Amino acid sequence: MLKAVLFDLDGVITDTAKFHFLAWRDLGAELGVTVDEAFNEELKGVSRIDSLERILAFGGLADKYSTAEKEALCTKKNDHYLELIQEMTPADILPGILPLLEELREAGLKAIVTSASKNAPGILELLQVKDYFDGIVDPASVAAGKPAPDIFLAGAELAGAKPAECIGVEDAASGVEAIKAAHIPAIAIGDAEVLAQADRVLADTSDLSLAVLRDTWEKATA
Ligand code: BG6
Ligand code: MG
């Protein structure tokens, strides 16, 4: 039986993906590295420090900065990101998410946030949706970030469910890879080619519903 839904945040609950992109693009420009939308796809779902490492490697700068300098660059990116998201309100919840959370609550299914973002609790507050969730996995508490399965396995545990009793919702290729590595059925939102590993790809969050989640889960676990 499907017992829990494990939600990515950025690009699933709200469109913060565009703000992460802007903040990385500007930091990249300062470092002399062009972060365009195609390269940004590879940063989705990836932790802050791992994203910086990927940008530096992409620009041939892998060995240029010390650990302390890299931390300072991450802080700079995050300060800019926090400025960009400050004005977020419940109106920024993506279409279909609130009705889905209502449906889950009514049906007694658990909803867990499995985001790589250390900003997730603050964003859920801004969106005023924190109460809909039964738990938020602290990304700092897991050994390896997406595409490793750790955060989704921790999400299942937090829900008190087995991985096979959960379904994960993601917008990033690294996230879908992580869900599948945890042996959890996956629904992806976005480009079907980029997210081909998912059990079902939806063009938009407004296509999400408990019925779609159940149907996908049933087919994936049959
Ligand atoms: C993921 C985003 O959800 O969180 C990534 O898709 C981001 O783009 C990562 O780098 C970490 O987020 P934060 O808020 O901790 O920098
Ligand atoms: Mg995401």
Side-chain angles (χ1 to χ4, degrees), residues 8-10 20 24 43-48 51 77-78 81 115-120 146 171:
D8 176 45
L9 171 78
D10 296 310
H20 280 295
W24 283 129
L43 304 179
K44 284 187 182 171
V46 176
S47 76
R48 201 179 304 165
S51 297
K77 181 265 172 177
N78 196 52
Y81 175 71
S115 167
S117 174
K118 293 178 179 162
N119 293 303
K146 300 171 189 179
D171 71 315

Side-chain angles (χ1 to χ4, degrees), residues 76-97:
K76 190 169 193 186
K77 181 265 172 177
N78 196 52
D79 288 347
H80 184 193
Y81 175 71
L82 288 175
E83 263 172 44
L84 293 171
I85 65 170
Q86 231 185 55
E87 305 294 321
M88 278 178 37
T89 71
D92 294 299
I93 301 167
L94 282 170
I97 295 295

Side-chain angles (χ1 to χ4, degrees), residues 37-158:
E37 293 211 36
F39 179 59
N40 183 62
E41 268 312 308
E42 293 176 36
L43 304 179
K44 284 187 182 171
V46 176
S47 76
R48 201 179 304 165
I49 185 68
D50 289 349
S51 297
L52 177 67
E53 298 283 9
R54 285 188 189 203
I55 290 167
L56 294 177
F58 185 64
L61 304 171
D63 300 319
K64 188 170 172 190
Y65 299 100
S66 67
T67 304
E69 284 169 332
K70 285 181 199 167
E71 271 169 26
L73 290 172
C74 280
T75 302
K76 190 169 193 186
K77 181 265 172 177
N78 196 52
D79 288 347
H80 184 193
Y81 175 71
L82 288 175
E83 263 172 44
L84 293 171
I85 65 170
Q86 231 185 55
E87 305 294 321
M88 278 178 37
T89 71
D92 294 299
I93 301 167
L94 282 170
I97 295 295
L98 217 43
L100 175 62
L101 290 170
E102 298 272 10
E103 273 192 296
L104 296 181
R105 179 182 273 182
E106 208 142 292
L109 270 79
K110 297 260 192 284
I112 304 287
V113 176
T114 41
S115 167
S117 174
K118 293 178 179 162
N119 293 303
I123 291 170
L124 294 173
E125 293 276 8
L126 286 171
L127 299 175
Q128 297 175 24
V129 285
K130 214 170 182 178
D131 290 350
Y132 282 100
F133 292 96
D134 300 286
I136 303 171
V137 179
D138 177 1
S141 71
V142 298
K146 300 171 189 179
D150 305 32
I151 197 159
F152 288 100
L153 292 172
E157 200 178 324
L158 196 55

